[in-house]
Amino acid sequence: MKVSRKLTLLFFLGPALFVVVLFYIVPLFLSIYISFTPMTDWNINRYLTQFIGLQNYERLIHIMMYDPDMRAVIITTCVFIAVTLVINVFGGLLLALATYFMDEKLSLAYQGLWLLPRMTPVAVYSLLWYYFFHSSGIGLLNAILMRLHLINHPIALGLDPRYLPWGAWFIIIFVNGLVGVSYGMIIFYSAFKSIPKELIIAARVDGASTGRIIRHILLPLTKWHFTFITVWQMLSLLTSFAQIFLLVEWRVVDSTWGQTWALYVFRTAFTTVKDQGLAAAASTFLSVIGIALGLVALKALGYKKMILEPKGDI
Amino acid sequence: MASKGLAIAAAIIIIIIIIGAAAYYMSQKPAPATTTTTSTSTSTSTTTKTTTSTTTSAAPSKPVLTGNFEKDVIAIGKYLESKGIHTVKFTVWATGDPNSVMRMYGLYEAAYKINKIWEKNGINVKIVMDKFWESSFKKLYDEFTSAVPQGTNGDFFVNSYIYIANLASQGYILDINSYVEKYWDSVFKDFYTPIMEAAKYKGHYYGVPQDTEARPIYVRKDVAACMGWDISNLAQQVKDGKFTWHDMFKKAEEAVSKGCAKWGLIHRKGSAHPDLIQFIFAYGGKLYDEKTGKLVLDVPAVYKWFATEYAFAQHKLLPKDMMSWDWAQQIHPTVVNDCKGSPTGCTLFFIGGTWHWTEWQTKAYYYDPTTKKQRPLTPEEEVKKFYYTLFPAGDPGDKPVTLSQPFMWMIAENAGKDNPNYNQLKDVYHELAFLMVVGASDPEINAIHSVISGHVPVRKAAAALLKNETWVNDLINMKINLSPDVKKAIEPIVRRTANKINIQFLANVSYMLEYTHLAPSHPLYPKLAGFFADAINKVLMGEMTPKDAVNYLIQKIKADPQLSANVEIVGSIPSNWSFP
Amino acid sequence: MMPEVADVETIERRRMNIMLGIVVLLASAPILVTYFVLIASSFTNQMITGGIIGQLTFTLENWILFFEGKLAVTAASVLSFWDILRYIFNTFIIAFGVMIVVTVLATLAGYACSRMKFKGRTFLIQLLILLHAFPGVSLIIAVYALYIFSKQPLPASAWTFYAFLYVIVARAALEVPMDVWIMKGFFDKVPWEIEWSAIVDGASRIKVWKDIILPLVKPGIAAIAIFSFIAGWGELIYVMVFLPATEKTLATYIAGLLAGGSLEVVHLPVVAAAGTLYLIPTLVFFTFVRRYMLQTSLSGIKG
């Protein structure tokens, strides 16, 4: 019995573990090692064996202490993560609920629409918002607002000192939110769809309103997913910058108030010299923060209670 | 249930077939030959050859470059043939605007020439070329640096000189100093000195200039006429340092206040490098200390630059969101459009590039008031509209400048790696690669490239060709002296771009190369340039005063220990200076 | 036969439909506007922006240029139609590869995490989500180092195939942890009794998983299939670093067009065409997979 149980476990868990260990965990530790080397420009042949201790970390801390933009970057990062997280999780939930109760075809159309930002190449996505939020009259937002006579002159929303930091924050949150929302939407929607329809029908027959169905059937059964989406999106927002990078490069948002910590590190480490040692140090630093935040979030959301004891090992 | 299972099975089978086909297809691509497999097979075939020339008895010794192109080519050919090699594969990786294809085909042309020499001398070796083009020069650099450790990079890397320092220090490109010295008298003496210097790293040549450009100030003739300003002698005045940026301000103000132009000054967006760096040089500053090898933050010059642009922006002569203007819909149209009756208005001055001259003829930026649609300009219209000068001196006593970013032919340190016996014949492959670069530096190739891509020639012989009426006429009549394949590839571009006016323009701007400066090729320079861009944006938007912006720069530099150690901060903000 | 959810109270349903439709439409306005601009710009001579509506003309040349590999109207052709097709083909390989690897691995492992007791289970589950705290961008240099080392013993003719395989598996590895979490959530919801009766009847764990449980978690599988396909379709960094520079995907090709130095010379409506084309396969895939997100029903299970 024992052997076959081990084999079964291997069958289920083995492939995933193998791949994750080899391509995720091993590189992760190797990256941490690289943060102790002066790695640049992919030159592993030369730098992989040079150990320089904590130099990259010292450099990182020095930058953080003395860079005049650092205060703004940190505040921006906090605001960005907090607000976008709320939008992503609750927006996704609302969209999932809305498309759940909708006609199937309409639901398909709307979900496809909200998935478009996620499906678009990052550069093209940034290009679209570049044109939307452009500081002059060619910006679509400006053009629409001027046509509606709400403003007389084009607004440089992301750049004008009069609107900083709120204008820049609005843009980066908006642009990321539209991408993030679809994540929760799909997962919550799938979760709702996996609740057997017998339950819903029974409730309807009993005369329950839509609100009650939501509160008492749909939401309680998706706690795990809620926890997961919250923690996952939080970590995503902490570490990703792809959508904001080009907005800063193309000067749609101010470089001081439009950068999150992740983007700041990327720009610092990867301008021409690929400062990969420094980037690894910054990433390790960021991961420690992320792991700490993640653990706190998991605890707060009652993760332990949700891990049910598995059954079935007779 | 059964049908679902069938569907899934079918999907899996189809996907496996796709993957299998992909694998098969991939494995059919010519693979880089490894050093071990092919050497034995080819040596047997050479013994049967009887037609070739004399000395099959004494095996030729490893060739050393002499400086005579034909002799060296023959020596290398004979040597390779004696080692049983009949095909040499080279790949060129190049980048840039779509009209700069000679960056690849120049080497194809060189290969053609070399193959012909070998054929004429009965040497049974041929060079076979392959190419790869990337439209973004930064991306090509990324691809190159991540490919070298894997050995999957191109043998030739044609890109901006700014990468030389980094690539050389990483050991990714060849030190060709000794080769260049051999060919100095016959070839490289002819190149413009500042451009040749840009190919150096720590005193050694690591590249050969391929092309360059200059950055003139374009002045609108119609706006000047409207203002009553006679600019027929302006270029000379700028050259003599008699027309400075203080005068630029006065004229810009006059143009706008008289209603002759909407804007006084327009320049590039996004980054400060390279166009705006000219301000630093124009105010007598520098960016690099040759003695220490460090970058320099020349505080007075940088301050004056910020103060100049600040003044222009505050007086509404320069748009305050200039750094975020759109190239295709704002910048170019504003520069080329008529002053009256166009949606954008016009500008008196534009800090532009020599390549814009042809770009305005190939892209539809000009708003035609009669058709109400956008179209390219004709060469005649351009001549009527634009006057061009050097970038003026900053203060009286300074000198005028321009800035060039030459492109370089670079040879990868593993060039020839896709060929048999690479490890033993390394030097020979490297020498052959260098000879190809020499071939590609032929004045005619350089001149043709200049014409079709709107770049400025890098050597005086090529510039002389541009001034040579016979040669120009031949070119316009498509009597191009190139190999058939290359000729076919560039014929449509030649047809579109070769005309007397454009060639005249290039000949006229060549003098600027004598005044040109180059941004330092230091690996950390791009970081500094990034700070410049952020700072000037804040200055233009009015977020910071010039003084605050300079202090911001200093803080940013000091914050990063690596930068701090590599950048000298020199001088202080001048107290008795104002602009305008 | 069990009535569909829709059969009950149709009037309330229609009213809700209309209300929901309108609300979501308003919320989707920015997306509708910007994607309309994207698609329409691929058919006009300039990018559609405010203020130049009058100067736009309809044209198909952007699409023609794109498929010819040209980036501007007067550009020389540095790519061919076959190159573009090859890029599209490469993108399919990566996308399907990643999707299959992720879906299979995560569905297997998710079941184990949900239903099987083993030492370190809680720790593993926590680890999987916290791995996401490490930014993927920095992981690349380490994955690159491993790639170089593992490539050495292979013959050069296998390099390209190995590169594709490596990209697929390495990218899949980044998606697996999150998808294990998602699948675990779905497996947890399956009532234990259903499994119990099958196991008591003598079926092996694997058989139970395959025949009984999987159909009940189809929506979950569909969700992770969609996400992993999108991930593979849009992968940039791994493709750029591991595949030979000549083997691009549609994603990396487009990224190259908009990268520094290229943005100034490329004709943007051609990029709009590329971007529009890029969206189509994913949308088709989404539509296809979504039918697996049907409402599950207990009555569909055989005894």
Side-chain angles (χ1 to χ4, degrees), chain C residues 134-216:
Chain C
F134 199 88
V137 177
S138 315
L139 219 47
I140 178 66
I141 178 69
V143 184
Y144 175 80
L146 292 173
Y147 173 69
I148 304 269
F149 295 145
S150 60
K151 207 165 84 144
Q152 304 300 357
L154 292 176
S157 51
W159 280 358
T160 310
F161 177 69
Y162 183 65
F164 270 89
L165 193 66
Y166 203 86
V167 170
I168 289 174
V169 182
R171 186 62 182 93
L174 296 183
E175 296 290 308
V176 163
M178 99 172 167
D179 292 331
V180 168
W181 258 69
I182 295 177
M183 286 316 296
K184 176 182 179 325
F186 283 91
F187 283 121
D188 283 346
K189 294 289 165 291
V190 175
W192 166 239
E193 295 69 37
I194 298 172
E195 239 180 306
W196 174 264
S197 49
I199 294 179
V200 158
D201 280 349
S204 78
R205 218 66 204 266
I206 298 176
K207 197 155 161 26
V208 168
W209 171 80
K210 193 161 63 75
D211 295 331
I212 299 177
I213 312 288
L214 274 192
L216 293 176

Side-chain angles (χ1 to χ4, degrees), chain C residues 248-268:
Chain C
K248 292 189 198 278
T249 59
L250 198 55
T252 57
Y253 178 63
I254 293 176
L257 296 181
L258 293 175
S262 183
L263 184 61
E264 292 162 36
V265 294
V266 83
H267 188 52
L268 285 176

